[in-house]
Amino acid sequence: ETGVTQSPTHLIKTRGQQVTLRCSSQSGHNTVSWYQQALGQGPQFIFQYYREEENGRGNFPPRFSGLQFPNYSSELNVNALELDDSALYLCASSWGNRGRNTGELFFGEGSRLTVL
Amino acid sequence: AQSVSQHNHHVILSEAASLELGCNYSYGGTVNLFWYVQYPGQHLQLLLKYFSGDPLVKGIKGFEAEFIKSKFSFNLRKPSVQWSDTAEYFCAVNPHDGNQFYFGTGTSLTVIP
């Protein structure tokens, strides 16, 4: 067990809807990253949060947004859902120093989103 | 753009066979390197990592990997696989000048008893 918990584990939405995914980071970690893993692919970086601020973003449109809270937990919000957003969304926590990852990522089990 | 290539998409081995999974990356700067494993129904977990120093690193469950800088490679090896090694294996690269981890597409390993 990594100590990183995600909710919900599975959800189904329809095109155009909005979704919020949640993540509690491992104790002692101050950095949370979100990754999208499509079927048959490796995880793709969405963004990272360090001390409540976005600290790096991958090639995802603005309708993907996030938050980090003072307890270092995080949310991923996706607006105007598209069919291609169907994927496993992974949260990973880590320890960062001045916004820079200093080690490995610790992953949660993911939230599987299906968009119909 | 940085990329990570895993040459083997599906590998099937018998127990006690030796394993080598290839990983190459395209990035000219300094990187941290990782192998992650995902057992059926479980989360991604770290097998081993390389930050600096000895290019031959040892991880959990008898796995090891060798960093060859000139070849931009970080291949994973195990001398004798077990049925319990059946899983998906991902190579990942974290450039020192950024926070993003770049993952390969993964290799599905099936070990036949």
Side-chain angles (χ1 to χ4, degrees):
Chain A
E1 290 296 325
T2 61
V4 179
T5 58
Q6 294 186 240
S7 63
T9 54
H10 296 83
L11 68 167
I12 300 173
K13 293 284 188 178
T14 57
R15 275 187 306 175
Q17 285 190 310
Q18 177 265 344
V19 68
T20 297
L21 308 178
R22 295 178 175 82
C23 172
S24 294
S25 59
Q26 182 166 307
S27 177
H29 287 174
N30 57 9
T31 302
V32 172
S33 305
W34 286 92
Y35 285 78
Q36 181 196 67
Q37 186 176 14
L39 204 59
Q41 301 295 317
Q44 298 284 318
F45 178 69
I46 303 174
F47 43 55
Q48 177 177 292
Y49 278 83
Y50 171 74
R51 293 189 174 181
E52 303 176 57
E53 292 193 1
E54 190 178 289
N55 182 42
R57 189 179 183 92
N59 189 26
F60 281 82
R63 59 189 184 84
F64 285 78
S65 63
L67 285 172
Q68 187 181 31
F69 301 99
N71 66 354
Y72 303 126
S73 66
S74 178
E75 285 182 355
L76 164 66
N77 299 291
V78 187
N79 294 322
L81 284 167
E82 301 176 359
L83 298 179
D84 285 350
D85 295 332
S86 294
L88 181 67
Y89 288 85
L90 297 169
C91 172
S93 77
S94 58
W95 172 254
N97 183 12
R98 297 181 182 177
R100 174 80 183 97
N101 280 321
T102 59
E104 68 263 33
L105 301 178
F106 294 79
F107 286 90
E109 295 197 10
S111 294
R112 185 164 296 282
L113 171 65
T114 301
V115 182
L116 302 176
Chain B
Q2 290 84 357
S3 68
V4 179
S5 299
Q6 292 185 239
H7 316 300
N8 318 98
H9 296 292
H10 300 279
V11 173
I12 301 174
L13 295 173
S14 299
E15 274 194 318
S18 64
L19 171 71
E20 180 160 2
L21 301 182
C23 173
N24 285 88
Y25 63 93
S26 62
Y27 183 74
T30 307
V31 296
N32 293 335
L33 298 160
F34 306 83
W35 277 95
Y36 279 86
V37 62
Q38 189 167 32
Y39 298 105
Q42 297 188 25
H43 61 273
L44 276 165
Q45 53 190 283
L46 183 71
L47 259 185
L48 47 77
K49 60 188 178 187
Y50 171 81
F51 287 177
S52 64
D54 188 344
L56 184 62
V57 293
K58 296 190 183 299
I60 61 172
K61 304 185 180 185
F63 285 90
E64 65 179 31
E66 185 176 13
F67 171 47
I68 302 179
K69 188 174 181 179
S70 61
K71 294 184 178 180
F72 300 92
S73 70
F74 190 55
N75 291 354
L76 181 70
R77 299 194 291 251
K78 185 171 183 177
S80 176
V81 295
Q82 300 174 311
W83 174 78
S84 59
D85 294 325
T86 294
E88 189 91 15
Y89 292 81
F90 293 92
C91 179
V93 176
N94 172 219
H96 277 203
D97 63 358
N99 291 318
Q100 182 171 351
F101 279 54
Y102 296 89
F103 285 82
T105 53
T107 297
S108 174
L109 171 66
T110 300
V111 180
I112 301 171

